[in-house]
Amino acid sequence: MGTLPASAEEAVARLRREVGDIHQELVRYRLVVWTAGNVSARVPGHDLLVIKPSGVPYEELSPRDMIVCDLDGTVVDGELSPSSDTAAHAYVYRHMPHVGGVVHTHSTYASAWAARGEAVPCVLTAMADEFGAEIPVGPFALIGDDSIGRGIVETLSGHRSPAVLMRSHGVFTIGKDARAAVKAAVMCEDVARTVHIARQLGEPRPLAQADVDRLHDRYQNVYGQPGAAR
Amino acid sequence: MGTLPASAEEAVARLRREVGDIHQELVRYRLVVWTAGNVSARVPGHDLLVIKPSGVPYEELSPRDMIVCDLDGTVVDGELSPSSDTAAHAYVYRHMPHVGGVVHTHSTYASAWAARGEAVPCVLTAMADEFGAEIPVGPFALIGDDSIGRGIVETLSGHRSPAVLMRSHGVFTIGKDARAAVKAAVMCEDVARTVHIARQLGEPRPLAQADVDRLHDRYQNVYGQPGAAR
Amino acid sequence: MGTLPASAEEAVARLRREVGDIHQELVRYRLVVWTAGNVSARVPGHDLLVIKPSGVPYEELSPRDMIVCDLDGTVVDGELSPSSDTAAHAYVYRHMPHVGGVVHTHSTYASAWAARGEAVPCVLTAMADEFGAEIPVGPFALIGDDSIGRGIVETLSGHRSPAVLMRSHGVFTIGKDARAAVKAAVMCEDVARTVHIARQLGEPRPLAQADVDRLHDRYQNVYGQPGAAR
Amino acid sequence: MGTLPASAEEAVARLRREVGDIHQELVRYRLVVWTAGNVSARVPGHDLLVIKPSGVPYEELSPRDMIVCDLDGTVVDGELSPSSDTAAHAYVYRHMPHVGGVVHTHSTYASAWAARGEAVPCVLTAMADEFGAEIPVGPFALIGDDSIGRGIVETLSGHRSPAVLMRSHGVFTIGKDARAAVKAAVMCEDVARTVHIARQLGEPRPLAQADVDRLHDRYQNVYGQPGAAR
């Protein structure tokens, strides 16, 4: 185990609370069952992340349970074992410096697209707003080394979408902080479900690329309260 | 920012509470995720509306957060930015004087019909009661000017349905007040879902136009408590 | 308005509470939206029924709001208008003396079968237990006279099923009391949903009639606590 | 009725609480309606099991209501009748000594696969983790003798899956304790749903057997907190 630098203590304390609490949004939107999803956040200004412990029920998560790891996934502070997906989260933070939050779920509709290895086409204005493109499919990758992290980074680098459907597996989302990544996970399941249902009885009409571009640009720059997280 | 006339203060105070509170019905019936739907109400006797602020979570909405705008969508009272759909709401109030409430959602099944650009056929007695006809499809329209509002008004003018499926987007509903518009949004998703599911395994039987007419007339004039909002 | 006989007062007071409360089961199992379903109970030993008022939200229902009607549907006690489905409930009590409770919903999957005019085939042991047969389809009938009540009675007389899918409309269920009729409504939606989903990807295997008979006989005579309502 | 040995009293008291409480997970994940599912646990070191009473609503279950039976299903302690599925649970404990918990549900998607008599193919990494194989189909069996228990044991013996889809009926799951069996029931419905939805719009990609093996081995030996129930 490493050592938590004194200068990180305040941010870590805050993120233990925030990351612990925001798991409730995964529960509320039914994106997770049992203990199968997880959220992490980068500790700003430090090569550290805060992540959920492995196999602990969401209703029992306390700030104290959250684990602090370095960006190789080694535990620096915390009594429990970190999420078994920690290596993937850490890889993303190492290779995508603008990312401040990562979320992983097996949410039903998104995972169904992932099981077929099929991207969710961008056919709704809400999807153009949030994703700016289709939600892409990443490679099949086994847990245990950097394969999943590499698959996420390679798929999302240069892509507008903050969500990737990892083939035969589930969803990873990224954001400027944990809340933004959770929002992307919620919206990903929402549009994956709506487009699935639309396609059950025919073909959704495509959106013109120019309209997708305009919607995405506007939403990323205008929506919400000035200065607030979207 | 404009000025709130003294004669509107009492009605505005009441509508801030009512409009704020009734967003909980959108949450309860799972018509919205994150911050993506909104309700507004006309201030009776004034060219004003009360609407949800942009990007604020439903569980944090307080009466104080609600925004008062004039019917051009300009903020008259309130500290936050109004919903990014305010222009569409305002356009409806300007052009449909009998409308006292407007609701916008991306509810799943209704949005799926909207993604295919297909009207929901009137094949259930509950749908004849509430909508009196199919739920029609409005044009594809980009946010940012009067296109969405114009599409709503052109589609619903002279139509019995209080709900319109805006193509590739979502639902707008109207009512004599906010509660009636919310009810239309709830019923719209309910019948969009039931008719979708019916069609998954065959064709729902059509209702005769004369039966639709009789049901709609009876429901609009007899149902509920005398003098109460339906 | 008629007069409530003194000998009925105690039973009516109890049933106002019980019928009011059991509407919460319709909400809990998501069988109803807004104010669209209703429960009634016969007042034992009297030609009276207790039923939900029309158009009142479920969360506001108090025992005082419940309406007492005679078996022609005329209000005998209560301040509000009774459910607009009162005539159908009353007809059932007039013609089926063993029935002590009636429930009406537009629950999604059952209504989807009703929209196609298709009976739910008996392909699950739980369905053989509770329904002992397919869930049959009743005629299309308009509200406003005895058509709906007659359709329910004609379809369920001599049928094992306590539930009927009224064509293009919704579900009516019967039971020895309100709780049994609510249970039938809950189970009806549950099996309508499961059989629908089974059929989406193929054909459910039929149950042999002899097995349906054995299961139904056993469940009706053995299940649950001795002497208790099932 | 038999007699509860003094040496079992402490374990029985604990299991009455634990088994009673864990039924709430079946409700929370919507695996059961009304009173239709049940959980049991073996009393360690005794030929006894603790199980839900028959036909009692989940929200009214208290530790006192739980029934203690011997492994022939005869009641040893408790005032109510045990679950009508007790014989199946008892048969499993008699023939599978490593099993400490059994769960039975009619959860929707799993029961839909069971109604078609079709195994859920192993096409998701989460399914490889938990089930290590397809979720197999057991025989059609009537309640009332050892047929259901025998079907469960014959299907699951030598199979990695802790869940079996009993044909035209529902799901039985096993685990080292009640919590593990409930987890298997929750995950079974989750993957049955996701794979169903994936197949609605095409074919999920198969997982290579070697990948299934690696995932299952890792999950069974590495996941969660050291020494904790998974």
Side-chain angles (χ1 to χ4, degrees):
Chain A
M1 193 184 287
T3 311
L4 188 61
S7 61
E9 279 178 14
E10 195 174 313
V12 163
R14 175 179 55 83
L15 288 170
R16 281 172 176 274
R17 276 197 312 278
E18 286 179 14
V19 174
D21 287 353
I22 208 163
H23 281 87
Q24 296 312 318
E25 299 289 322
L26 304 186
V27 174
R28 179 211 299 236
Y29 287 109
R30 300 185 174 266
L31 303 192
V32 292
V33 298
W34 216 251
T35 64
N38 40 72
V39 181
S40 71
R42 185 195 294 271
V43 183
H46 295 271
D47 285 344
L48 297 172
L49 62 91
V50 175
I51 195 165
K52 177 179 174 292
S54 181
V56 174
Y58 296 107
E59 68 276 19
E60 298 175 12
L61 281 182
S62 76
R64 218 175 50 100
D65 293 336
M66 297 295 119
I67 312 299
V68 183
C69 294
D70 65 24
L71 297 193
D72 293 319
T74 305
V75 174
V76 171
D77 192 47
E79 293 169 20
L80 301 169
S81 304
S83 163
S84 57
D85 298 301
T86 300
H89 290 247
Y91 188 97
V92 173
Y93 293 118
R94 282 208 305 282
H95 292 84
M96 301 183 98
H98 62 292
V99 169
V102 176
V103 172
H104 174 47
T105 81
H106 301 153
S107 66
T108 302
Y109 284 87
S111 297
W113 290 90
R116 290 194 311 271
E118 198 175 347
V120 183
C122 186
V123 296
L124 293 164
T125 57
M127 202 176 158
D129 286 349
E130 177 74 26
F131 298 94
E134 68 175 19
I135 300 177
V137 176
F140 178 76
L142 284 182
I143 197 166
D145 60 15
D146 277 344
S147 306
I148 293 178
R150 203 163 46 231
I152 299 166
V153 169
E154 287 175 3
T155 310
L156 293 185
S157 293
H159 204 291
R160 283 172 178 170
S161 169
V164 52
L165 309 173
M166 293 300 283
R167 192 186 293 270
S168 310
H169 181 181
V171 183
F172 281 85
T173 61
I174 57 176
K176 65 177 184 181
D177 53 23
R179 185 169 183 82
V182 169
K183 184 192 177 189
V186 170
M187 298 308 291
C188 176
E189 179 66 5
D190 194 57
V191 299
R193 176 171 46 229
T194 304
V195 178
H196 176 93
I197 289 170
R199 275 192 46 192
Q200 288 187 313
L201 297 180
E203 274 307 311
R205 300 190 165 223
L207 290 185
Q209 186 60 45
D211 290 334
V212 172
D213 293 348
R214 263 186 294 242
L215 285 162
H216 187 250
D217 179 64
R218 186 181 190 283
Y219 187 75
Q220 299 301 322
N221 296 305
V222 176
Y223 184 76
Q225 300 302 324
R230 260 190 309 273
Chain B
M1 191 185 287
T3 311
L4 188 62
S7 60
E9 279 179 13
E10 195 174 314
V12 162
R14 175 179 56 82
L15 288 170
R16 281 172 176 273
R17 276 198 313 278
E18 286 178 14
V19 174
D21 287 353
I22 209 162
H23 281 88
Q24 296 312 317
E25 298 289 323
L26 304 186
V27 174
R28 180 212 297 237
Y29 287 109
R30 300 184 172 267
L31 304 192
V32 291
V33 297
W34 216 251
T35 64
N38 39 73
V39 181
S40 71
R42 185 196 293 272
V43 183
H46 295 271
D47 285 344
L48 297 172
L49 62 90
V50 174
I51 195 165
K52 177 181 173 292
S54 181
V56 174
Y58 297 107
E59 68 276 18
E60 298 174 12
L61 280 182
S62 75
R64 219 175 50 100
D65 293 335
M66 296 295 119
I67 312 299
V68 184
C69 295
D70 65 25
L71 297 193
D72 293 320
T74 305
V75 174
V76 171
D77 192 47
E79 292 169 21
L80 301 170
S81 305
S83 164
S84 57
D85 297 302
T86 299
H89 291 247
Y91 188 97
V92 173
Y93 292 119
R94 281 210 305 282
H95 292 83
M96 302 185 98
H98 62 290
V99 169
V102 176
V103 172
H104 174 48
T105 81
H106 300 153
S107 66
T108 302
Y109 284 86
S111 297
W113 290 89
R116 291 193 309 272
E118 199 176 345
V120 184
C122 186
V123 295
L124 293 164
T125 56
M127 203 177 158
D129 287 350
E130 177 75 24
F131 298 93
E134 67 175 20
I135 301 176
V137 177
F140 178 76
L142 285 182
I143 197 167
D145 59 16
D146 277 345
S147 306
I148 294 177
R150 202 162 48 230
I152 299 167
V153 169
E154 286 175 4
T155 310
L156 293 185
S157 293
H159 204 291
R160 283 172 176 169
S161 169
V164 52
L165 309 174
M166 293 300 283
R167 193 186 293 269
S168 310
H169 180 181
V171 183
F172 281 85
T173 61
I174 57 176
K176 65 177 184 180
D177 54 23
R179 184 168 185 82
V182 169
K183 183 191 177 189
V186 170
M187 298 307 291
C188 175
E189 180 64 5
D190 193 57
V191 299
R193 177 171 46 228
T194 304
V195 178
H196 176 93
I197 290 170
R199 275 192 45 193
Q200 287 187 313
L201 296 181
E203 273 307 310
R205 301 191 164 221
L207 290 185
Q209 187 60 46
D211 290 335
V212 172
D213 293 348
R214 264 187 292 242
L215 286 162
H216 187 250
D217 179 64
R218 186 180 190 284
Y219 187 75
Q220 298 302 319
N221 295 305
V222 176
Y223 184 77
Q225 301 302 324
R230 261 190 308 275
Chain C
M1 191 186 286
T3 311
L4 188 62
S7 60
E9 279 178 13
E10 195 174 313
V12 162
R14 175 179 56 83
L15 288 170
R16 281 172 177 274
R17 276 197 313 276
E18 286 179 14
V19 174
D21 286 353
I22 208 163
H23 281 88
Q24 295 312 318
E25 298 289 322
L26 304 186
V27 173
R28 179 213 297 238
Y29 287 109
R30 301 185 172 265
L31 304 192
V32 290
V33 297
W34 216 251
T35 64
N38 40 72
V39 181
S40 72
R42 185 195 293 273
V43 183
H46 293 272
D47 286 344
L48 297 171
L49 62 90
V50 174
I51 195 165
K52 178 181 173 291
S54 182
V56 174
Y58 296 107
E59 69 276 17
E60 297 175 11
L61 280 182
S62 75
R64 218 175 50 100
D65 292 335
M66 296 295 118
I67 311 300
V68 184
C69 294
D70 65 25
L71 297 194
D72 292 320
T74 305
V75 174
V76 171
D77 193 47
E79 292 169 21
L80 301 169
S81 305
S83 163
S84 57
D85 297 302
T86 299
H89 290 247
Y91 188 97
V92 173
Y93 292 118
R94 282 208 306 283
H95 291 84
M96 301 185 99
H98 63 290
V99 168
V102 176
V103 172
H104 174 48
T105 81
H106 301 154
S107 66
T108 302
Y109 284 86
S111 297
W113 291 89
R116 291 193 309 272
E118 199 175 347
V120 184
C122 185
V123 296
L124 293 165
T125 57
M127 202 177 159
D129 287 349
E130 177 75 25
F131 298 93
E134 68 175 21
I135 301 177
V137 177
F140 178 76
L142 284 182
I143 198 168
D145 59 16
D146 277 344
S147 305
I148 294 178
R150 202 162 48 232
I152 299 167
V153 170
E154 286 175 4
T155 309
L156 293 185
S157 293
H159 203 291
R160 283 171 176 171
S161 169
V164 52
L165 308 174
M166 293 299 284
R167 192 186 294 270
S168 310
H169 180 180
V171 183
F172 281 85
T173 61
I174 57 176
K176 65 178 186 181
D177 53 23
R179 183 167 184 83
V182 168
K183 184 192 176 188
V186 170
M187 298 307 292
C188 175
E189 180 64 5
D190 194 56
V191 299
R193 176 171 46 228
T194 304
V195 178
H196 176 93
I197 289 170
R199 275 191 48 192
Q200 288 187 313
L201 296 181
E203 274 307 311
R205 302 193 163 220
L207 289 185
Q209 186 61 45
D211 290 335
V212 171
D213 294 347
R214 266 187 292 242
L215 286 162
H216 187 250
D217 179 64
R218 185 181 190 286
Y219 187 75
Q220 299 301 321
N221 296 304
V222 176
Y223 184 75
Q225 301 302 324
R230 260 191 306 275
Chain D
M1 193 185 285
T3 311
L4 188 63
S7 61
E9 280 178 13
E10 196 174 312
V12 163
R14 175 180 55 84
L15 288 170
R16 281 172 178 273
R17 276 197 312 276
E18 286 179 14
V19 174
D21 286 354
I22 208 162
H23 281 87
Q24 296 312 318
E25 299 288 323
L26 304 186
V27 173
R28 178 212 298 237
Y29 287 109
R30 301 187 174 263
L31 304 191
V32 291
V33 298
W34 217 250
T35 64
N38 38 74
V39 181
S40 72
R42 186 196 293 271
V43 183
H46 294 271
D47 285 343
L48 297 171
L49 63 89
V50 175
I51 195 165
K52 177 181 174 290
S54 181
V56 175
Y58 296 106
E59 69 275 17
E60 299 175 11
L61 280 183
S62 76
R64 219 175 49 100
D65 293 335
M66 296 295 118
I67 312 299
V68 184
C69 294
D70 64 25
L71 297 193
D72 293 320
T74 305
V75 174
V76 171
D77 193 47
E79 292 168 21
L80 301 170
S81 304
S83 163
S84 56
D85 298 301
T86 299
H89 291 246
Y91 189 98
V92 172
Y93 292 119
R94 283 208 304 284
H95 292 84
M96 302 184 98
H98 62 290
V99 169
V102 176
V103 172
H104 173 48
T105 81
H106 300 154
S107 66
T108 302
Y109 284 87
S111 298
W113 290 90
R116 291 194 309 272
E118 199 176 345
V120 183
C122 186
V123 296
L124 293 165
T125 57
M127 201 176 160
D129 286 349
E130 177 76 25
F131 298 93
E134 67 174 21
I135 300 176
V137 177
F140 177 76
L142 285 180
I143 199 167
D145 60 15
D146 277 345
S147 306
I148 294 178
R150 203 161 48 231
I152 299 167
V153 169
E154 286 176 4
T155 310
L156 293 185
S157 293
H159 204 292
R160 282 172 178 170
S161 169
V164 52
L165 308 174
M166 293 299 284
R167 193 186 293 269
S168 310
H169 180 179
V171 183
F172 281 85
T173 61
I174 56 176
K176 66 177 185 180
D177 54 23
R179 184 168 184 84
V182 168
K183 184 193 177 188
V186 170
M187 297 307 291
C188 175
E189 180 65 6
D190 194 57
V191 299
R193 177 172 46 230
T194 304
V195 179
H196 175 93
I197 290 169
R199 276 192 46 193
Q200 287 187 313
L201 296 181
E203 275 306 312
R205 302 193 163 219
L207 290 186
Q209 186 60 47
D211 290 333
V212 172
D213 293 347
R214 264 185 292 241
L215 285 162
H216 187 249
D217 179 62
R218 186 181 189 285
Y219 188 74
Q220 298 301 322
N221 296 305
V222 177
Y223 184 76
Q225 300 303 324
R230 261 189 309 274

Short mmCIF file of all heavy atoms in Angstrom, two decimals, chain D residues 30 65 68 82 105 113 154 156 195:
data_model
loop_
_atom_site.label_atom_id
_atom_site.label_comp_id
_atom_site.label_asym_id
_atom_site.label_seq_id
_atom_site.Cartn_x
_atom_site.Cartn_y
_atom_site.Cartn_z
N ARG D 30 -38.07 -6.95 -7.88
CA ARG D 30 -39.31 -7.27 -8.60
C ARG D 30 -39.27 -8.68 -9.19
O ARG D 30 -39.71 -8.93 -10.31
CB ARG D 30 -39.58 -6.24 -9.70
CG ARG D 30 -39.72 -4.82 -9.12
CD ARG D 30 -40.15 -3.78 -10.15
NE ARG D 30 -40.41 -2.51 -9.50
CZ ARG D 30 -41.62 -2.08 -9.13
NH1 ARG D 30 -42.70 -2.80 -9.40
NH2 ARG D 30 -41.77 -0.92 -8.52
N ASP D 65 -42.72 -15.84 11.89
CA ASP D 65 -43.56 -16.55 10.90
C ASP D 65 -42.80 -17.66 10.19
O ASP D 65 -43.41 -18.55 9.59
CB ASP D 65 -44.06 -15.57 9.83
CG ASP D 65 -45.04 -14.56 10.39
OD1 ASP D 65 -45.68 -14.85 11.41
OD2 ASP D 65 -45.14 -13.47 9.79
N VAL D 68 -39.69 -23.97 10.57
CA VAL D 68 -38.57 -24.91 10.60
C VAL D 68 -39.11 -26.29 10.23
O VAL D 68 -40.10 -26.76 10.81
CB VAL D 68 -37.90 -24.96 11.99
CG1 VAL D 68 -36.67 -25.88 11.96
CG2 VAL D 68 -37.53 -23.55 12.45
N PRO D 82 -45.99 -24.34 6.02
CA PRO D 82 -44.80 -23.92 5.26
C PRO D 82 -45.15 -23.72 3.79
O PRO D 82 -46.19 -24.19 3.32
CB PRO D 82 -43.84 -25.09 5.44
CG PRO D 82 -44.74 -26.28 5.61
CD PRO D 82 -45.96 -25.79 6.34
N THR D 105 -38.48 -18.54 -7.62
CA THR D 105 -39.30 -17.41 -8.10
C THR D 105 -39.94 -17.76 -9.44
O THR D 105 -39.57 -18.75 -10.08
CB THR D 105 -38.47 -16.12 -8.33
OG1 THR D 105 -37.80 -16.19 -9.59
CG2 THR D 105 -37.46 -15.86 -7.22
N TRP D 113 -38.27 -17.76 -20.69
CA TRP D 113 -37.40 -18.78 -21.27
C TRP D 113 -37.90 -20.18 -20.88
O TRP D 113 -37.92 -21.11 -21.70
CB TRP D 113 -35.95 -18.61 -20.80
CG TRP D 113 -35.22 -17.41 -21.33
CD1 TRP D 113 -35.18 -16.17 -20.77
CD2 TRP D 113 -34.40 -17.33 -22.52
NE1 TRP D 113 -34.38 -15.32 -21.54
CE2 TRP D 113 -33.89 -16.00 -22.59
CE3 TRP D 113 -34.04 -18.24 -23.51
CZ2 TRP D 113 -33.05 -15.57 -23.63
CZ3 TRP D 113 -33.20 -17.82 -24.54
CH2 TRP D 113 -32.73 -16.50 -24.61
N GLU D 154 -31.18 -33.23 -10.57
CA GLU D 154 -30.63 -33.88 -11.77
C GLU D 154 -30.07 -32.86 -12.75
O GLU D 154 -29.06 -33.10 -13.40
CB GLU D 154 -31.70 -34.73 -12.46
CG GLU D 154 -31.99 -36.02 -11.68
CD GLU D 154 -33.13 -36.85 -12.28
OE1 GLU D 154 -33.66 -36.45 -13.33
OE2 GLU D 154 -33.49 -37.88 -11.66
N LEU D 156 -28.95 -29.69 -12.04
CA LEU D 156 -27.83 -28.87 -11.53
C LEU D 156 -26.62 -29.69 -11.09
O LEU D 156 -25.52 -29.14 -10.96
CB LEU D 156 -28.30 -27.99 -10.38
CG LEU D 156 -29.31 -26.88 -10.77
CD1 LEU D 156 -29.60 -25.99 -9.58
CD2 LEU D 156 -28.76 -26.04 -11.93
N VAL D 195 -30.30 -10.94 -22.24
CA VAL D 195 -30.12 -11.80 -23.43
C VAL D 195 -31.41 -11.84 -24.25
O VAL D 195 -31.37 -11.82 -25.49
CB VAL D 195 -29.66 -13.21 -23.02
CG1 VAL D 195 -29.51 -14.10 -24.25
CG2 VAL D 195 -28.34 -13.15 -22.27
#
